[in-house]
Amino acid sequence: MEKMWSGRFSQDASSLLERFNASIMFDQKLYREDIEGSIAHAQMLKHQGILNPEELVAIESGMAQVLKEIESGEFEWRIGDEDLHMAIEKRLTALIGDAGKKLHTARSRNDQVALDFRRYVLRKNGEIVDLIKSLMSAIVDIARNHTQTLIPGMTHLQHAQPINFGFHLLAYAAMFKRDIERFESSAERNNISPIGCAALAGTPHNIDRAMTAKTLGFESISINCLDTVSDRDFALEILFNISTLMMHISRLSEEIILWSSYEFRFVELSDAYSTGSSIMPQKKNPDVPELLRGKTGRVFGNLVGLLTVMKGLPLAYNKDTQEDKEGVFDSVETAEISLEILREALKTMTVKKENMARACKLGHLSATDLADYLVEHCHVPFREAHHITGRAVARAEALGIDLSEIAYSELHAIDERIKEDVCRFLAIEHSMNARTSAGGTAEVRTLEQIIYFDHYLKDIK
Ligand code: ARG
């Protein structure tokens, strides 16, 4: 097959080279961006008198036909065409003749691919933000029902202080909000048009880059063409942002896996989002959160992969850069399905309040409350209060009960400054509701956090 660039070549490309060099198998995903970019470019060329009106009409209707062929599956993607840019231009020219051959005036595949890929990433930034918002909204809805559901708050995976389950879930809402902000700020920073930079140095044709940028919805045009055709920061940013998002998803998944175990039994995933074992009939496995945790590894790999591709590249475009796409497509598609399935798995998950409450009676969760009581009501310095509480915990252990259930007489025997009202302070629910400082777990503070996230999410409700 004759190549578009074959003018200076006397031998055909080997089929091995064709297979090795081609990106058409994966970059065909960019067909919309490519066609829209070409039409905007052609409109600008016509405006500048570089194309005549008939040529523009031919290009526009030819491209409409190409688009139709691609979307109906008729379009033939041939490896010999190397990439989507050449495949589409070739088909256009076959359809409309000479006008098709003029389309590439004042443009190179270098700025063309920079345009297509950047627009894909910008679009995906927005779509991922919408998916995160809908996950957040599911999380906030569950939190709303569980502001009084007690669970052990942990540090070091050890029982620490009682919190409510809603408060626990809202920690993830806070993480996902930061994730959204990262996608949004990246989209804002990279809303810059590369088209018109041509191969690397600009073009002698009298083009209007601002016009093409405006047609395509960009905020502005890039400042330096040499940078523009080799810049892949925007792709690295989405890879990093997805990595951080998946890291958060993976942490929540890890908790769901733990909570689903017989050791915890805090939640049960619905049958629709659980799997069985081929040998052990009794099993119900949390494959969904496990895969979310597992896929996070591949997403991190895509980030490190592209960073490594970029680190040694001299200016400007190098073919190495063609390796930018598959990892980004993979991370984007992984993030999309992950956000959806996590949302559905959470919505259909059963929360086992009684098991959570039972767990709160293990590990003396209200020990800090006894120390706080001694400080506030008995004017004992905190260090000394800590020590007295330690003795109370040891006593409860010896009695085989939780500190929240210890008799007043036992505590009074340890320190006579302790008064009868102490028991009220040791109740688990009281302990949770005592933490009223800003951002704390007390139900009133949790309800404020719910209002905050409701307000943030109100556009999508
Ligand atoms: N398929 C190429 C890529 O994805 C398009 C740019 C090719 N440019 C070039 N000078 N060979 O990067």
Side-chain angles (χ1 to χ4, degrees), residues 83 108-111 113-114 199-200 226 229-232 313-325:
D83 57 31
S108 149
R109 273 187 297 156
N110 297 351
D111 58 341
V113 72
L200 71 163
L226 197 59
V229 292
S230 74
D231 168 26
R232 292 296 181 273
L313 297 187
L315 289 171
Y317 179 84
N318 298 273
K319 193 63 174 250
D320 313 47
T321 325
Q322 181 167 286
E323 292 292 316
D324 58 3
K325 289 170 209 60

mmCIF file with all atom_site columns, all heavy atoms in Angstrom, residues 83 108-111 113-114 199-200 226 229-232 313-325:
data_model
loop_
_atom_site.group_PDB
_atom_site.id
_atom_site.type_symbol
_atom_site.label_atom_id
_atom_site.label_alt_id
_atom_site.label_comp_id
_atom_site.label_asym_id
_atom_site.label_entity_id
_atom_site.label_seq_id
_atom_site.pdbx_PDB_ins_code
_atom_site.Cartn_x
_atom_site.Cartn_y
_atom_site.Cartn_z
_atom_site.occupancy
_atom_site.B_iso_or_equiv
_atom_site.pdbx_formal_charge
_atom_site.auth_seq_id
_atom_site.auth_comp_id
_atom_site.auth_asym_id
_atom_site.auth_atom_id
_atom_site.pdbx_PDB_model_num
ATOM 1   N N   . ASP A 1 83  ? -2.031 5.522  11.115 1.00 0.00 ? 83  ASP A N   1
ATOM 2   C CA  . ASP A 1 83  ? -2.796 6.086  12.230 1.00 0.00 ? 83  ASP A CA  1
ATOM 3   C C   . ASP A 1 83  ? -4.118 6.656  11.737 1.00 0.00 ? 83  ASP A C   1
ATOM 4   O O   . ASP A 1 83  ? -4.391 6.718  10.540 1.00 0.00 ? 83  ASP A O   1
ATOM 5   C CB  . ASP A 1 83  ? -1.983 7.127  13.028 1.00 0.00 ? 83  ASP A CB  1
ATOM 6   C CG  . ASP A 1 83  ? -1.463 8.274  12.172 1.00 0.00 ? 83  ASP A CG  1
ATOM 7   O OD1 . ASP A 1 83  ? -2.125 8.635  11.175 1.00 0.00 ? 83  ASP A OD1 1
ATOM 8   O OD2 . ASP A 1 83  ? -0.394 8.820  12.510 1.00 0.00 ? 83  ASP A OD2 1
ATOM 9   N N   . SER A 1 108 ? 0.363  19.705 10.739 1.00 0.00 ? 108 SER A N   1
ATOM 10  C CA  . SER A 1 108 ? 1.185  18.502 10.721 1.00 0.00 ? 108 SER A CA  1
ATOM 11  C C   . SER A 1 108 ? 0.464  17.478 11.578 1.00 0.00 ? 108 SER A C   1
ATOM 12  O O   . SER A 1 108 ? -0.405 17.836 12.375 1.00 0.00 ? 108 SER A O   1
ATOM 13  C CB  . SER A 1 108 ? 2.559  18.840 11.311 1.00 0.00 ? 108 SER A CB  1
ATOM 14  O OG  . SER A 1 108 ? 3.124  17.729 11.959 1.00 0.00 ? 108 SER A OG  1
ATOM 15  N N   . ARG A 1 109 ? 0.827  16.210 11.445 1.00 0.00 ? 109 ARG A N   1
ATOM 16  C CA  . ARG A 1 109 ? 0.233  15.259 12.381 1.00 0.00 ? 109 ARG A CA  1
ATOM 17  C C   . ARG A 1 109 ? 0.678  15.556 13.814 1.00 0.00 ? 109 ARG A C   1
ATOM 18  O O   . ARG A 1 109 ? 0.042  15.137 14.761 1.00 0.00 ? 109 ARG A O   1
ATOM 19  C CB  . ARG A 1 109 ? 0.621  13.827 11.994 1.00 0.00 ? 109 ARG A CB  1
ATOM 20  C CG  . ARG A 1 109 ? -0.316 13.203 10.982 1.00 0.00 ? 109 ARG A CG  1
ATOM 21  C CD  . ARG A 1 109 ? 0.039  11.747 10.791 1.00 0.00 ? 109 ARG A CD  1
ATOM 22  N NE  . ARG A 1 109 ? 1.387  11.611 10.245 1.00 0.00 ? 109 ARG A NE  1
ATOM 23  C CZ  . ARG A 1 109 ? 2.136  10.526 10.381 1.00 0.00 ? 109 ARG A CZ  1
ATOM 24  N NH1 . ARG A 1 109 ? 1.692  9.479  11.047 1.00 0.00 ? 109 ARG A NH1 1
ATOM 25  N NH2 . ARG A 1 109 ? 3.354  10.470 9.856  1.00 0.00 ? 109 ARG A NH2 1
ATOM 26  N N   . ASN A 1 110 ? 1.800  16.297 13.932 1.00 0.00 ? 110 ASN A N   1
ATOM 27  C CA  . ASN A 1 110 ? 2.297  16.572 15.285 1.00 0.00 ? 110 ASN A CA  1
ATOM 28  C C   . ASN A 1 110 ? 1.344  17.476 16.074 1.00 0.00 ? 110 ASN A C   1
ATOM 29  O O   . ASN A 1 110 ? 1.058  17.229 17.243 1.00 0.00 ? 110 ASN A O   1
ATOM 30  C CB  . ASN A 1 110 ? 3.701  17.197 15.225 1.00 0.00 ? 110 ASN A CB  1
ATOM 31  C CG  . ASN A 1 110 ? 4.707  16.236 14.613 1.00 0.00 ? 110 ASN A CG  1
ATOM 32  O OD1 . ASN A 1 110 ? 4.403  15.067 14.387 1.00 0.00 ? 110 ASN A OD1 1
ATOM 33  N ND2 . ASN A 1 110 ? 5.907  16.728 14.325 1.00 0.00 ? 110 ASN A ND2 1
ATOM 34  N N   . ASP A 1 111 ? 0.865  18.551 15.430 1.00 0.00 ? 111 ASP A N   1
ATOM 35  C CA  . ASP A 1 111 ? -0.106 19.388 16.157 1.00 0.00 ? 111 ASP A CA  1
ATOM 36  C C   . ASP A 1 111 ? -1.492 18.760 16.116 1.00 0.00 ? 111 ASP A C   1
ATOM 37  O O   . ASP A 1 111 ? -2.304 18.944 17.016 1.00 0.00 ? 111 ASP A O   1
ATOM 38  C CB  . ASP A 1 111 ? -0.116 20.851 15.670 1.00 0.00 ? 111 ASP A CB  1
ATOM 39  C CG  . ASP A 1 111 ? -0.425 21.010 14.186 1.00 0.00 ? 111 ASP A CG  1
ATOM 40  O OD1 . ASP A 1 111 ? -0.293 20.029 13.426 1.00 0.00 ? 111 ASP A OD1 1
ATOM 41  O OD2 . ASP A 1 111 ? -0.785 22.131 13.776 1.00 0.00 ? 111 ASP A OD2 1
ATOM 42  N N   . VAL A 1 113 ? -2.225 15.467 16.341 1.00 0.00 ? 113 VAL A N   1
ATOM 43  C CA  . VAL A 1 113 ? -2.390 14.466 17.408 1.00 0.00 ? 113 VAL A CA  1
ATOM 44  C C   . VAL A 1 113 ? -2.401 15.166 18.779 1.00 0.00 ? 113 VAL A C   1
ATOM 45  O O   . VAL A 1 113 ? -3.129 14.775 19.691 1.00 0.00 ? 113 VAL A O   1
ATOM 46  C CB  . VAL A 1 113 ? -1.313 13.347 17.335 1.00 0.00 ? 113 VAL A CB  1
ATOM 47  C CG1 . VAL A 1 113 ? 0.061  13.827 17.761 1.00 0.00 ? 113 VAL A CG1 1
ATOM 48  C CG2 . VAL A 1 113 ? -1.732 12.160 18.189 1.00 0.00 ? 113 VAL A CG2 1
ATOM 49  N N   . ALA A 1 114 ? -1.612 16.233 18.889 1.00 0.00 ? 114 ALA A N   1
ATOM 50  C CA  . ALA A 1 114 ? -1.606 16.993 20.153 1.00 0.00 ? 114 ALA A CA  1
ATOM 51  C C   . ALA A 1 114 ? -2.999 17.562 20.420 1.00 0.00 ? 114 ALA A C   1
ATOM 52  O O   . ALA A 1 114 ? -3.478 17.583 21.557 1.00 0.00 ? 114 ALA A O   1
ATOM 53  C CB  . ALA A 1 114 ? -0.563 18.108 20.105 1.00 0.00 ? 114 ALA A CB  1
ATOM 54  N N   . ALA A 1 199 ? 4.492  21.351 12.356 1.00 0.00 ? 199 ALA A N   1
ATOM 55  C CA  . ALA A 1 199 ? 5.395  20.268 12.745 1.00 0.00 ? 199 ALA A CA  1
ATOM 56  C C   . ALA A 1 199 ? 6.137  20.578 14.045 1.00 0.00 ? 199 ALA A C   1
ATOM 57  O O   . ALA A 1 199 ? 6.297  19.718 14.908 1.00 0.00 ? 199 ALA A O   1
ATOM 58  C CB  . ALA A 1 199 ? 6.380  19.975 11.630 1.00 0.00 ? 199 ALA A CB  1
ATOM 59  N N   . LEU A 1 200 ? 6.592  21.810 14.185 1.00 0.00 ? 200 LEU A N   1
ATOM 60  C CA  . LEU A 1 200 ? 7.336  22.200 15.397 1.00 0.00 ? 200 LEU A CA  1
ATOM 61  C C   . LEU A 1 200 ? 7.583  23.698 15.487 1.00 0.00 ? 200 LEU A C   1
ATOM 62  O O   . LEU A 1 200 ? 7.780  24.251 16.568 1.00 0.00 ? 200 LEU A O   1
ATOM 63  C CB  . LEU A 1 200 ? 8.704  21.492 15.480 1.00 0.00 ? 200 LEU A CB  1
ATOM 64  C CG  . LEU A 1 200 ? 9.813  21.919 14.489 1.00 0.00 ? 200 LEU A CG  1
ATOM 65  C CD1 . LEU A 1 200 ? 11.152 21.431 15.010 1.00 0.00 ? 200 LEU A CD1 1
ATOM 66  C CD2 . LEU A 1 200 ? 9.597  21.417 13.087 1.00 0.00 ? 200 LEU A CD2 1
ATOM 67  N N   . LEU A 1 226 ? 7.170  24.764 19.697 1.00 0.00 ? 226 LEU A N   1
ATOM 68  C CA  . LEU A 1 226 ? 8.114  23.668 19.949 1.00 0.00 ? 226 LEU A CA  1
ATOM 69  C C   . LEU A 1 226 ? 7.664  22.870 21.181 1.00 0.00 ? 226 LEU A C   1
ATOM 70  O O   . LEU A 1 226 ? 7.666  21.642 21.193 1.00 0.00 ? 226 LEU A O   1
ATOM 71  C CB  . LEU A 1 226 ? 9.506  24.280 20.171 1.00 0.00 ? 226 LEU A CB  1
ATOM 72  C CG  . LEU A 1 226 ? 10.718 23.364 20.061 1.00 0.00 ? 226 LEU A CG  1
ATOM 73  C CD1 . LEU A 1 226 ? 10.794 22.716 18.684 1.00 0.00 ? 226 LEU A CD1 1
ATOM 74  C CD2 . LEU A 1 226 ? 11.998 24.164 20.341 1.00 0.00 ? 226 LEU A CD2 1
ATOM 75  N N   . VAL A 1 229 ? 4.005  20.805 20.533 1.00 0.00 ? 229 VAL A N   1
ATOM 76  C CA  . VAL A 1 229 ? 3.917  19.505 19.845 1.00 0.00 ? 229 VAL A CA  1
ATOM 77  C C   . VAL A 1 229 ? 4.544  18.376 20.658 1.00 0.00 ? 229 VAL A C   1
ATOM 78  O O   . VAL A 1 229 ? 4.351  17.196 20.333 1.00 0.00 ? 229 VAL A O   1
ATOM 79  C CB  . VAL A 1 229 ? 4.542  19.545 18.428 1.00 0.00 ? 229 VAL A CB  1
ATOM 80  C CG1 . VAL A 1 229 ? 3.701  20.417 17.510 1.00 0.00 ? 229 VAL A CG1 1
ATOM 81  C CG2 . VAL A 1 229 ? 5.990  20.007 18.468 1.00 0.00 ? 229 VAL A CG2 1
ATOM 82  N N   . SER A 1 230 ? 5.287  18.725 21.698 1.00 0.00 ? 230 SER A N   1
ATOM 83  C CA  . SER A 1 230 ? 5.871  17.633 22.489 1.00 0.00 ? 230 SER A CA  1
ATOM 84  C C   . SER A 1 230 ? 5.315  17.574 23.907 1.00 0.00 ? 230 SER A C   1
ATOM 85  O O   . SER A 1 230 ? 5.599  16.636 24.643 1.00 0.00 ? 230 SER A O   1
ATOM 86  C CB  . SER A 1 230 ? 7.394  17.750 22.521 1.00 0.00 ? 230 SER A CB  1
ATOM 87  O OG  . SER A 1 230 ? 7.772  18.803 23.360 1.00 0.00 ? 230 SER A OG  1
ATOM 88  N N   . ASP A 1 231 ? 4.483  18.548 24.269 1.00 0.00 ? 231 ASP A N   1
ATOM 89  C CA  . ASP A 1 231 ? 3.926  18.574 25.630 1.00 0.00 ? 231 ASP A CA  1
ATOM 90  C C   . ASP A 1 231 ? 2.920  17.448 25.839 1.00 0.00 ? 231 ASP A C   1
ATOM 91  O O   . ASP A 1 231 ? 1.959  17.316 25.067 1.00 0.00 ? 231 ASP A O   1
ATOM 92  C CB  . ASP A 1 231 ? 3.255  19.943 25.847 1.00 0.00 ? 231 ASP A CB  1
ATOM 93  C CG  . ASP A 1 231 ? 2.401  19.990 27.105 1.00 0.00 ? 231 ASP A CG  1
ATOM 94  O OD1 . ASP A 1 231 ? 2.691  19.220 28.042 1.00 0.00 ? 231 ASP A OD1 1
ATOM 95  O OD2 . ASP A 1 231 ? 1.456  20.805 27.148 1.00 0.00 ? 231 ASP A OD2 1
ATOM 96  N N   . ARG A 1 232 ? 3.163  16.634 26.862 1.00 0.00 ? 232 ARG A N   1
ATOM 97  C CA  . ARG A 1 232 ? 2.161  15.643 27.254 1.00 0.00 ? 232 ARG A CA  1
ATOM 98  C C   . ARG A 1 232 ? 1.817  15.794 28.742 1.00 0.00 ? 232 ARG A C   1
ATOM 99  O O   . ARG A 1 232 ? 1.299  14.870 29.367 1.00 0.00 ? 232 ARG A O   1
ATOM 100 C CB  . ARG A 1 232 ? 2.659  14.218 26.973 1.00 0.00 ? 232 ARG A CB  1
ATOM 101 C CG  . ARG A 1 232 ? 2.800  13.890 25.479 1.00 0.00 ? 232 ARG A CG  1
ATOM 102 C CD  . ARG A 1 232 ? 1.453  13.917 24.749 1.00 0.00 ? 232 ARG A CD  1
ATOM 103 N NE  . ARG A 1 232 ? 1.578  13.583 23.343 1.00 0.00 ? 232 ARG A NE  1
ATOM 104 C CZ  . ARG A 1 232 ? 1.847  14.452 22.366 1.00 0.00 ? 232 ARG A CZ  1
ATOM 105 N NH1 . ARG A 1 232 ? 2.027  15.738 22.649 1.00 0.00 ? 232 ARG A NH1 1
ATOM 106 N NH2 . ARG A 1 232 ? 1.932  14.050 21.104 1.00 0.00 ? 232 ARG A NH2 1
ATOM 107 N N   . LEU A 1 313 ? 13.168 12.672 26.381 1.00 0.00 ? 313 LEU A N   1
ATOM 108 C CA  . LEU A 1 313 ? 12.900 13.109 25.011 1.00 0.00 ? 313 LEU A CA  1
ATOM 109 C C   . LEU A 1 313 ? 13.449 14.496 24.706 1.00 0.00 ? 313 LEU A C   1
ATOM 110 O O   . LEU A 1 313 ? 13.109 15.463 25.373 1.00 0.00 ? 313 LEU A O   1
ATOM 111 C CB  . LEU A 1 313 ? 11.384 13.116 24.741 1.00 0.00 ? 313 LEU A CB  1
ATOM 112 C CG  . LEU A 1 313 ? 10.667 11.774 24.813 1.00 0.00 ? 313 LEU A CG  1
ATOM 113 C CD1 . LEU A 1 313 ? 9.219  11.934 24.364 1.00 0.00 ? 313 LEU A CD1 1
ATOM 114 C CD2 . LEU A 1 313 ? 11.372 10.730 23.965 1.00 0.00 ? 313 LEU A CD2 1
ATOM 115 N N   . PRO A 1 314 ? 14.273 14.577 23.660 1.00 0.00 ? 314 PRO A N   1
ATOM 116 C CA  . PRO A 1 314 ? 14.697 15.898 23.200 1.00 0.00 ? 314 PRO A CA  1
ATOM 117 C C   . PRO A 1 314 ? 13.516 16.573 22.496 1.00 0.00 ? 314 PRO A C   1
ATOM 118 O O   . PRO A 1 314 ? 12.598 15.892 22.047 1.00 0.00 ? 314 PRO A O   1
ATOM 119 C CB  . PRO A 1 314 ? 15.810 15.582 22.208 1.00 0.00 ? 314 PRO A CB  1
ATOM 120 C CG  . PRO A 1 314 ? 15.466 14.225 21.687 1.00 0.00 ? 314 PRO A CG  1
ATOM 121 C CD  . PRO A 1 314 ? 14.788 13.493 22.814 1.00 0.00 ? 314 PRO A CD  1
ATOM 122 N N   . LEU A 1 315 ? 13.546 17.872 22.364 1.00 0.00 ? 315 LEU A N   1
ATOM 123 C CA  . LEU A 1 315 ? 12.485 18.574 21.631 1.00 0.00 ? 315 LEU A CA  1
ATOM 124 C C   . LEU A 1 315 ? 12.622 18.261 20.149 1.00 0.00 ? 315 LEU A C   1
ATOM 125 O O   . LEU A 1 315 ? 13.726 18.095 19.662 1.00 0.00 ? 315 LEU A O   1
ATOM 126 C CB  . LEU A 1 315 ? 12.597 20.077 21.860 1.00 0.00 ? 315 LEU A CB  1
ATOM 127 C CG  . LEU A 1 315 ? 12.200 20.545 23.279 1.00 0.00 ? 315 LEU A CG  1
ATOM 128 C CD1 . LEU A 1 315 ? 12.569 22.017 23.456 1.00 0.00 ? 315 LEU A CD1 1
ATOM 129 C CD2 . LEU A 1 315 ? 10.722 20.318 23.539 1.00 0.00 ? 315 LEU A CD2 1
ATOM 130 N N   . ALA A 1 316 ? 11.595 18.177 19.360 1.00 0.00 ? 316 ALA A N   1
ATOM 131 C CA  . ALA A 1 316 ? 10.240 18.374 19.825 1.00 0.00 ? 316 ALA A CA  1
ATOM 132 C C   . ALA A 1 316 ? 9.517  17.021 19.760 1.00 0.00 ? 316 ALA A C   1
ATOM 133 O O   . ALA A 1 316 ? 9.759  16.171 20.594 1.00 0.00 ? 316 ALA A O   1
ATOM 134 C CB  . ALA A 1 316 ? 9.522  19.411 18.968 1.00 0.00 ? 316 ALA A CB  1
ATOM 135 N N   . TYR A 1 317 ? 8.680  16.791 18.716 1.00 0.00 ? 317 TYR A N   1
ATOM 136 C CA  . TYR A 1 317 ? 7.968  15.519 18.641 1.00 0.00 ? 317 TYR A CA  1
ATOM 137 C C   . TYR A 1 317 ? 8.947  14.370 18.417 1.00 0.00 ? 317 TYR A C   1
ATOM 138 O O   . TYR A 1 317 ? 9.889  14.460 17.630 1.00 0.00 ? 317 TYR A O   1
ATOM 139 C CB  . TYR A 1 317 ? 6.934  15.538 17.496 1.00 0.00 ? 317 TYR A CB  1
ATOM 140 C CG  . TYR A 1 317 ? 6.200  14.212 17.369 1.00 0.00 ? 317 TYR A CG  1
ATOM 141 C CD1 . TYR A 1 317 ? 5.097  13.942 18.156 1.00 0.00 ? 317 TYR A CD1 1
ATOM 142 C CD2 . TYR A 1 317 ? 6.657  13.206 16.511 1.00 0.00 ? 317 TYR A CD2 1
ATOM 143 C CE1 . TYR A 1 317 ? 4.442  12.712 18.093 1.00 0.00 ? 317 TYR A CE1 1
ATOM 144 C CE2 . TYR A 1 317 ? 6.017  11.978 16.426 1.00 0.00 ? 317 TYR A CE2 1
ATOM 145 C CZ  . TYR A 1 317 ? 4.917  11.737 17.225 1.00 0.00 ? 317 TYR A CZ  1
ATOM 146 O OH  . TYR A 1 317 ? 4.277  10.522 17.166 1.00 0.00 ? 317 TYR A OH  1
ATOM 147 N N   . ASN A 1 318 ? 8.726  13.277 19.120 1.00 0.00 ? 318 ASN A N   1
ATOM 148 C CA  . ASN A 1 318 ? 9.437  12.020 18.886 1.00 0.00 ? 318 ASN A CA  1
ATOM 149 C C   . ASN A 1 318 ? 8.385  10.920 18.851 1.00 0.00 ? 318 ASN A C   1
ATOM 150 O O   . ASN A 1 318 ? 7.374  11.009 19.548 1.00 0.00 ? 318 ASN A O   1
ATOM 151 C CB  . ASN A 1 318 ? 10.408 11.707 20.037 1.00 0.00 ? 318 ASN A CB  1
ATOM 152 C CG  . ASN A 1 318 ? 11.485 12.775 20.183 1.00 0.00 ? 318 ASN A CG  1
ATOM 153 O OD1 . ASN A 1 318 ? 12.528 12.715 19.550 1.00 0.00 ? 318 ASN A OD1 1
ATOM 154 N ND2 . ASN A 1 318 ? 11.209 13.767 21.014 1.00 0.00 ? 318 ASN A ND2 1
ATOM 155 N N   . LYS A 1 319 ? 8.669  9.873  18.090 1.00 0.00 ? 319 LYS A N   1
ATOM 156 C CA  . LYS A 1 319 ? 7.662  8.836  17.932 1.00 0.00 ? 319 LYS A CA  1
ATOM 157 C C   . LYS A 1 319 ? 7.363  8.133  19.253 1.00 0.00 ? 319 LYS A C   1
ATOM 158 O O   . LYS A 1 319 ? 6.290  7.541  19.440 1.00 0.00 ? 319 LYS A O   1
ATOM 159 C CB  . LYS A 1 319 ? 8.090  7.829  16.858 1.00 0.00 ? 319 LYS A CB  1
ATOM 160 C CG  . LYS A 1 319 ? 6.989  6.880  16.385 1.00 0.00 ? 319 LYS A CG  1
ATOM 161 C CD  . LYS A 1 319 ? 5.824  7.607  15.709 1.00 0.00 ? 319 LYS A CD  1
ATOM 162 C CE  . LYS A 1 319 ? 4.826  6.625  15.126 1.00 0.00 ? 319 LYS A CE  1
ATOM 163 N NZ  . LYS A 1 319 ? 4.822  6.606  13.663 1.00 0.00 ? 319 LYS A NZ  1
ATOM 164 N N   . ASP A 1 320 ? 8.307  8.212  20.194 1.00 0.00 ? 320 ASP A N   1
ATOM 165 C CA  . ASP A 1 320 ? 8.060  7.636  21.532 1.00 0.00 ? 320 ASP A CA  1
ATOM 166 C C   . ASP A 1 320 ? 6.701  8.074  22.070 1.00 0.00 ? 320 ASP A C   1
ATOM 167 O O   . ASP A 1 320 ? 6.025  7.320  22.767 1.00 0.00 ? 320 ASP A O   1
ATOM 168 C CB  . ASP A 1 320 ? 9.096  8.132  22.554 1.00 0.00 ? 320 ASP A CB  1
ATOM 169 C CG  . ASP A 1 320 ? 10.531 8.066  22.093 1.00 0.00 ? 320 ASP A CG  1
ATOM 170 O OD1 . ASP A 1 320 ? 10.811 8.493  20.956 1.00 0.00 ? 320 ASP A OD1 1
ATOM 171 O OD2 . ASP A 1 320 ? 11.373 7.637  22.901 1.00 0.00 ? 320 ASP A OD2 1
ATOM 172 N N   . THR A 1 321 ? 6.358  9.320  21.732 1.00 0.00 ? 321 THR A N   1
ATOM 173 C CA  . THR A 1 321 ? 5.142  9.920  22.291 1.00 0.00 ? 321 THR A CA  1
ATOM 174 C C   . THR A 1 321 ? 3.883  9.159  21.892 1.00 0.00 ? 321 THR A C   1
ATOM 175 O O   . THR A 1 321 ? 2.860  9.272  22.551 1.00 0.00 ? 321 THR A O   1
ATOM 176 C CB  . THR A 1 321 ? 5.036  11.391 21.808 1.00 0.00 ? 321 THR A CB  1
ATOM 177 O OG1 . THR A 1 321 ? 6.337  11.923 21.716 1.00 0.00 ? 321 THR A OG1 1
ATOM 178 C CG2 . THR A 1 321 ? 4.241  12.213 22.772 1.00 0.00 ? 321 THR A CG2 1
ATOM 179 N N   . GLN A 1 322 ? 3.962  8.420  20.816 1.00 0.00 ? 322 GLN A N   1
ATOM 180 C CA  . GLN A 1 322 ? 2.800  7.624  20.399 1.00 0.00 ? 322 GLN A CA  1
ATOM 181 C C   . GLN A 1 322 ? 2.397  6.646  21.505 1.00 0.00 ? 322 GLN A C   1
ATOM 182 O O   . GLN A 1 322 ? 1.257  6.186  21.556 1.00 0.00 ? 322 GLN A O   1
ATOM 183 C CB  . GLN A 1 322 ? 3.132  6.873  19.094 1.00 0.00 ? 322 GLN A CB  1
ATOM 184 C CG  . GLN A 1 322 ? 2.009  6.030  18.551 1.00 0.00 ? 322 GLN A CG  1
ATOM 185 C CD  . GLN A 1 322 ? 2.265  5.581  17.127 1.00 0.00 ? 322 GLN A CD  1
ATOM 186 O OE1 . GLN A 1 322 ? 2.164  6.369  16.189 1.00 0.00 ? 322 GLN A OE1 1
ATOM 187 N NE2 . GLN A 1 322 ? 2.640  4.320  16.959 1.00 0.00 ? 322 GLN A NE2 1
ATOM 188 N N   . GLU A 1 323 ? 3.354  6.346  22.388 1.00 0.00 ? 323 GLU A N   1
ATOM 189 C CA  . GLU A 1 323 ? 3.081  5.440  23.512 1.00 0.00 ? 323 GLU A CA  1
ATOM 190 C C   . GLU A 1 323 ? 2.232  6.103  24.601 1.00 0.00 ? 323 GLU A C   1
ATOM 191 O O   . GLU A 1 323 ? 1.975  5.513  25.648 1.00 0.00 ? 323 GLU A O   1
ATOM 192 C CB  . GLU A 1 323 ? 4.410  4.947  24.124 1.00 0.00 ? 323 GLU A CB  1
ATOM 193 C CG  . GLU A 1 323 ? 5.203  4.026  23.210 1.00 0.00 ? 323 GLU A CG  1
ATOM 194 C CD  . GLU A 1 323 ? 4.514  2.678  22.989 1.00 0.00 ? 323 GLU A CD  1
ATOM 195 O OE1 . GLU A 1 323 ? 4.023  2.095  23.963 1.00 0.00 ? 323 GLU A OE1 1
ATOM 196 O OE2 . GLU A 1 323 ? 4.447  2.225  21.828 1.00 0.00 ? 323 GLU A OE2 1
ATOM 197 N N   . ASP A 1 324 ? 1.844  7.357  24.401 1.00 0.00 ? 324 ASP A N   1
ATOM 198 C CA  . ASP A 1 324 ? 1.074  8.066  25.428 1.00 0.00 ? 324 ASP A CA  1
ATOM 199 C C   . ASP A 1 324 ? -0.371 7.582  25.532 1.00 0.00 ? 324 ASP A C   1
ATOM 200 O O   . ASP A 1 324 ? -1.002 7.722  26.579 1.00 0.00 ? 324 ASP A O   1
ATOM 201 C CB  . ASP A 1 324 ? 1.076  9.594  25.168 1.00 0.00 ? 324 ASP A CB  1
ATOM 202 C CG  . ASP A 1 324 ? 0.517  9.975  23.782 1.00 0.00 ? 324 ASP A CG  1
ATOM 203 O OD1 . ASP A 1 324 ? 0.076  9.085  23.039 1.00 0.00 ? 324 ASP A OD1 1
ATOM 204 O OD2 . ASP A 1 324 ? 0.549  11.173 23.445 1.00 0.00 ? 324 ASP A OD2 1
ATOM 205 N N   . LYS A 1 325 ? -0.895 7.022  24.437 1.00 0.00 ? 325 LYS A N   1
ATOM 206 C CA  . LYS A 1 325 ? -2.348 6.864  24.374 1.00 0.00 ? 325 LYS A CA  1
ATOM 207 C C   . LYS A 1 325 ? -2.912 5.652  25.098 1.00 0.00 ? 325 LYS A C   1
ATOM 208 O O   . LYS A 1 325 ? -3.910 5.762  25.826 1.00 0.00 ? 325 LYS A O   1
ATOM 209 C CB  . LYS A 1 325 ? -2.800 6.839  22.911 1.00 0.00 ? 325 LYS A CB  1
ATOM 210 C CG  . LYS A 1 325 ? -2.669 8.194  22.250 1.00 0.00 ? 325 LYS A CG  1
ATOM 211 C CD  . LYS A 1 325 ? -2.893 8.102  20.765 1.00 0.00 ? 325 LYS A CD  1
ATOM 212 C CE  . LYS A 1 325 ? -2.128 9.177  20.036 1.00 0.00 ? 325 LYS A CE  1
ATOM 213 N NZ  . LYS A 1 325 ? -0.651 9.122  20.251 1.00 0.00 ? 325 LYS A NZ  1
#
